[in-house]
């Protein structure tokens, strides 16, 4: 999400999509995908949500090489009516929401270099496809993402994007879920990151707090390091119920008079699962 130029760059369609040009990936680029895939899928067994792991499997994402969006979209479409389309990078908010509202997930087509396996600032095809697409094969999460797109278009009118973006951040990108009594990962920013997929679940530094919609929408977030707080949902059904079925207009109005909460803070009304030491953040130089 970004608020850049209104016009798509040269070569892009009016909706900002571009061809993936799958045939143009080099063997080396496919190899980067394979390495990342092998490393993350080994790491995520027993750590990622069963729903995510099932999606990886039934979308056949384990096949060698960067996925061909057309083929992937065909399989995904049959399951939940979603498709994956390529874009040149960040797209304007309204464009992003419009795609989601129409069950199209926009993905970067470039892949990181071999020396960037651990960290990358911009989302590449590994983050976008490995991280985000498996959950789109789940009917409930698929509905949540579409509703989020519709909600985004609505939030533009309320000038409430900053608040709504926090919901995306703390669920779609960095969410945790409780499954059979233990915490599991589902946020794309975590499951696509080697370091954060351990940190988010096992490190004593971050807070782990029960998800609360209003609380999340008040909470600022870090884009330059691991999160200082993660929010835990009980199920995707519950998340969908609390968001898609609620009218955010009164909530946006109420939020205007409520202060923001720091990424590391715990407030009296929180249901605390783990109170973090915050050692990670404070020991950085
Ligand atoms: N129900 C929200 C609204 O009234 C939209 C929304 C749905 C937002 C799902 C996020 C997730 O604006
Ligand atoms: Fe993402």
């Amino acid at each position: 999400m970004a608020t850049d130029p209104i016009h798509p760059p040269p070569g892009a369609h009016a909706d900002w999509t571009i061809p993936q040009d799958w045939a143009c990936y080099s063997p080396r680029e496919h190899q980067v995908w394979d390495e990342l895939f092998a490393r993350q899928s080994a790491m995520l067994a027993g750590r990622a949500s069963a729903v995510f792991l099932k999606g990886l499997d039934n979308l056949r994402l384990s096949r060698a090489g960067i996925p061909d969006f057309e083929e992937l979209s065909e399989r995904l479409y049959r399951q939940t009516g979603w498709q994956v389309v390529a874009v040149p990078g960040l797209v304007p908010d309204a464009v992003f929401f419009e795609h989601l509202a129409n069950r199209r997930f926009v993905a970067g087509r470039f892949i990181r270099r071999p020396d960037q396996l651990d960290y990358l600032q911009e989302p590449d095809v590994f983050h976008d496809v490995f991280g985000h697409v498996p959950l789109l094969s789940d009917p409930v999460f698929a509905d949540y993402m579409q509703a989020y797109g519709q909600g985004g278009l609505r939030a533009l009118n309320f000038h409430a994007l900053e608040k709504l973006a926090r919901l995306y951040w703390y669920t779609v990108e960095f969410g945790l879920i409780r499954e059979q009594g233990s915490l599991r990962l589902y946020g794309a920013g975590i499951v696509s990151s080697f370091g954060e997929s351990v940190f988010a679940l096992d490190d004593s530094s971050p807070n782990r707090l029960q998800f609360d919609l209003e609380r999340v929408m008040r909470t600022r977030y870090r884009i330059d390091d691991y999160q200082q707080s993660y929010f835990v949902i009980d199920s995707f059904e519950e998340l969908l119920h609390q968001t898609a079925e609620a009218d955010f207009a009164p909530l946006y109005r109420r939020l205007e008079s409520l202060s923001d909460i720091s990424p590391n803070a715990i407030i009296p009304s929180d249901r605390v699962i783990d109170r973090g030491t915050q050692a990670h953040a404070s020991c950085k130089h």
Side-chain angles (χ1 to χ4, degrees), residues 36-279:
L36 287 166
F37 188 94
R39 197 170 77 155
Q40 272 322 91
S41 49
M43 164 72 81
L44 293 177
R47 314 178 73 83
S49 157
V51 179
F52 175 89
L53 295 172
K54 184 174 160 215
L56 261 192
D57 195 49
N58 65 22
L59 290 172
R60 309 273 187 279
L61 283 169
S62 60
R63 290 199 322 189
I66 298 167
D68 177 342
F69 291 179
E70 261 178 53
E71 210 184 296
L72 176 61
S73 291
E74 252 174 60
R75 200 166 283 126
L76 182 59
Y77 192 84
R78 269 186 265 125
Q79 299 184 20
T80 56
W82 274 80
Q83 289 174 287
V84 180
V85 293
V87 288
L90 292 178
V91 301
D93 297 320
V95 175
F96 177 73
F97 294 137
E98 189 69 37
H99 280 298
L100 292 184
N102 288 287
R103 293 197 176 233
R104 286 187 301 266
F105 189 76
V106 296
R109 67 176 177 185
F110 81 99
I111 190 145
R112 67 196 72 184
R113 295 189 315 259
D115 61 308
Q116 297 174 312
L117 293 197
D118 289 326
Y119 186 75
L120 185 75
Q121 202 120 41
E122 253 191 301
D124 70 341
V125 64
F126 186 75
H127 167 81
D128 282 336
V129 173
F130 181 93
H132 285 281
V133 177
L135 283 182
L136 293 173
S137 73
D138 177 69
V140 178
F141 196 85
D143 285 354
Y144 174 65
M145 285 291 274
Q146 178 179 23
Y148 185 90
Q150 294 162 337
L153 293 170
R154 195 160 180 246
L156 288 171
N157 300 322
F158 290 108
H159 307 287
L161 218 55
E162 198 188 9
K163 306 287 191 299
L164 188 70
R166 291 170 177 167
L167 174 62
Y168 192 89
W169 191 264
Y170 284 118
T171 59
V172 179
E173 294 292 355
F174 293 98
L176 302 186
I177 186 168
R178 197 177 280 103
E179 280 178 0
Q180 272 125 33
S182 32
L183 301 189
R184 294 289 162 104
L185 315 168
Y186 75 88
I190 308 176
V191 298
S192 65
S193 157
F194 189 61
E196 198 153 2
S197 49
V198 173
F199 180 85
L201 216 50
D202 297 339
D203 206 279
S204 58
S205 186
N207 302 323
R208 296 181 188 87
L209 310 170
Q210 186 69 32
F211 177 86
D212 176 272
L213 181 61
E214 183 178 286
R215 199 302 187 188
V216 162
M217 290 174 96
R218 291 175 62 192
T219 311
R220 295 195 313 270
Y221 56 81
R222 307 190 56 148
I223 58 165
D224 60 336
D225 200 346
Y226 298 153
Q227 300 307 302
Q228 290 180 285
S229 296
Y230 297 94
F231 291 91
V232 180
I233 60 170
D234 283 324
S235 67
F236 294 123
E237 284 83 1
E238 183 60 22
L239 175 65
L240 181 68
H241 172 69
Q242 284 184 51
T243 54
E245 290 162 30
D247 177 6
F248 280 23
L251 176 57
Y252 291 144
R253 227 172 297 124
R254 193 161 64 242
L255 284 166
E256 279 172 32
S257 62
L258 294 171
S259 57
D260 283 353
I261 301 171
S262 314
N264 62 341
I266 290 185
I267 60 169
S269 56
D270 282 340
R271 280 187 286 159
V272 180
I273 297 160
D274 291 319
R275 181 177 296 268
T277 61
Q278 300 299 334

